[in-house]
């Protein structure tokens, strides 16, 4: 797989696979298994790069969780660096030669912090902080002086707070919201010789991670579109002021923001030097619910039909892998191929068995496979040790997931 595999921007989305095609390609493979369709993945990569319009994309590792795929995406022009999700993962990737790592979530892992402090290369991972308490904690974890100052990223709260703050829309992440607060924390960082302020990050999950065609209907959709427009405008202004205030203290080179669902709006802000995206490569179910872009499902998993309780029902082995987040219908996986299947209302997708019903169920036989989609991206890889990679009409590789390499992150 090479960078040249990327479908050129403007070529349009890759076509979705047909059931018969997948069954022919995987005839010799026993289910359960998971696959990534590289034709779809590269067409999704081109879509992301098109929306980024020249701003580099940092790849969210948690949304891929496969080292070989991450390396291949990073070999593609337009993608630069990883946004990682745990410190042990960041150190492991660093040990495998990844040298542009921004850890997006604060770490309380004292052993890993002490190990990080022993690294002295320019490619040592950047830690996330949002408070003086974090700085104190990190310093208390060190057994001696760090080999080089620890590089840190200051996280900004991106939430939208209308009605004078009586309503708060957005993830509960950083307490740093205003230019004054950001500047004060920047001063606290540069005052400590063990730290270097390397980056500023704000992830607008309420814009990037919320589709505007929700399962709950049209009214909600209109409200979400309105909220997003307001929040995008408010954040652009505030983020510019925060960056200016922080740069009075230190020449922070990296200003990171966004996610798959906001590549185009985040990238339009002049102060943004890079956008993060990952899920868009796999295009899980949640990303079917956005009106401003369209992707091709690239990551699927296959479960075998193991019994036929009655004419209209085929029962799969397991497959109940709900996604994280506020529990709701939108966190559930869904049968994808063959078309015309749905879960049974009483059982849903289960730990050990999943009955499927609908027009296609009657023709399914024991040993046939049903292909499902996960609601989110990288979490699928926690269920499978490897991913089959497809290109054209054939399997071109089988690569380990993080789990397949013995990693248990989150
Ligand atoms: C800090 C941060 N940035 C960016 C993203 C967006 O990642 P993705 O494009 O995979 O949705 C996330 C997702 O949760 C995140 O936590």
């Amino acid at each position: 797989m090479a960078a040249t595999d990327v479908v050129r921007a403007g070529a349009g989305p890759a076509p979705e696979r047909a059931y018969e095609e997948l069954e022919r390609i995987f005839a010799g493979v026993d289910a359960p298994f998971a696959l990534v369709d590289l034709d779809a993945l590269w067409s999704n990569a081109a879509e992301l790069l098109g929306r980024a319009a020249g701003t580099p994309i940092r790849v969210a590792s948690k949304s891929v969780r496969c080292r070989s795929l991450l390396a291949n995406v990073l070999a593609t022009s337009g993608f630069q660096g990883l946004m990682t999700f745990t410190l042990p993962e960041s150190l492991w990737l660093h040990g495998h030669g990844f040298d542009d790592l921004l850890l997006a979530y604060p770490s309380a892992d004292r052993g890993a912090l002490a190990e990080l402090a022993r690294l002295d290369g320019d490619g040592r991972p950047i830690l996330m902080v949002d408070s003086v308490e974090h700085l104190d904690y990190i310093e208390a974890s060190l057994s001696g002086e760090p080999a080089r100052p620890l590089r840190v990223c200051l996280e900004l709260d991106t939430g939208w707070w209308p009605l004078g703050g009586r309503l708060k829309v957005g993830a509960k992440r950083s307490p740093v919201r205003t230019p004054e607060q950001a500047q004060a924390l920047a001063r606290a960082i540069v005052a400590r010789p063990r730290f270097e302020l390397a980056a500023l990050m704000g992830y607008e999950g309420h814009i990037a991670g919320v589709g505007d065609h929700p399962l709950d209907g049209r009214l909600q959709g209109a409200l979400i579109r309105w909220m997003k427009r307001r929040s995008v405008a408010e954040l652009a202004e505030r983020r510019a002021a925060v960056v200016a205030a922080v740069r009075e203290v230190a020449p922070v080179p990296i200003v990171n923001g966004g996610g798959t669902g906001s590549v185009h709006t985040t990238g339009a802000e002049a102060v943004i030097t890079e956008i993060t995206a990952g899920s868009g490569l796999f295009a899980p179910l949640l990303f079917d619910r956005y009106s401003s872009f369209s992707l091709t499902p690239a990551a699927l998993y296959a479960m075998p039909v193991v019994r036929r309780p009655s004419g209209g029902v085929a029962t799969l082995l397991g497959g109940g892998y709900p996604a994280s987040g506020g529990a709701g219908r939108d966190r559930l996986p869904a049968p994808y191929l063959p078309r015309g299947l749905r879960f049974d209302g009483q059982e849903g997708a289960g730990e050990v068995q999943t009955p499927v019903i609908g027009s296609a169920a009657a023709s399914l036989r024991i040993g046939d496979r049903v292909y499902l989609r996960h609601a989110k991206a990288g979490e699928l890889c926690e269920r499978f040790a490897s991913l089959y990679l497809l290109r054209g009409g054939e399997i071109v590789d089988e690569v380990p997931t993080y789990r397949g390499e013995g990693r248990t992150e989150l």
Side-chain angles (χ1 to χ4, degrees), residues 246-328:
V246 169
R247 286 206 175 128
E248 283 173 18
V249 177
V252 186
I254 298 174
V255 181
N256 177 291
T260 291
S262 76
V263 167
H264 47 301
T265 54
T266 308
E269 292 182 34
V271 295
I272 288 287
T273 64
E274 57 175 48
I275 310 161
T276 296
S279 310
L281 296 166
F282 282 3
L285 283 167
L286 283 175
F287 289 94
D288 290 358
R289 308 208 150 270
Y290 289 69
S291 59
S292 44
F293 57 90
S294 108
L295 302 164
T296 305
L300 311 178
Y301 64 103
M303 306 308 285
V305 175
V306 288
R307 50 168 48 144
R308 305 286 326 267
S310 65
V313 184
T315 298
L316 314 179
L317 179 73
Y321 311 145
S324 57

Side-chain angles (χ1 to χ4, degrees), residues 60 62-63 83 104-105 173 201 203 256 258-261 276-280 287:
K62 77 175 177 64
S63 304
M83 173 171 279
Y105 317 94
R173 297 175 63 119
M201 196 262 319
Y203 171 52
N256 177 291
T260 291
T276 296
S279 310
F287 289 94

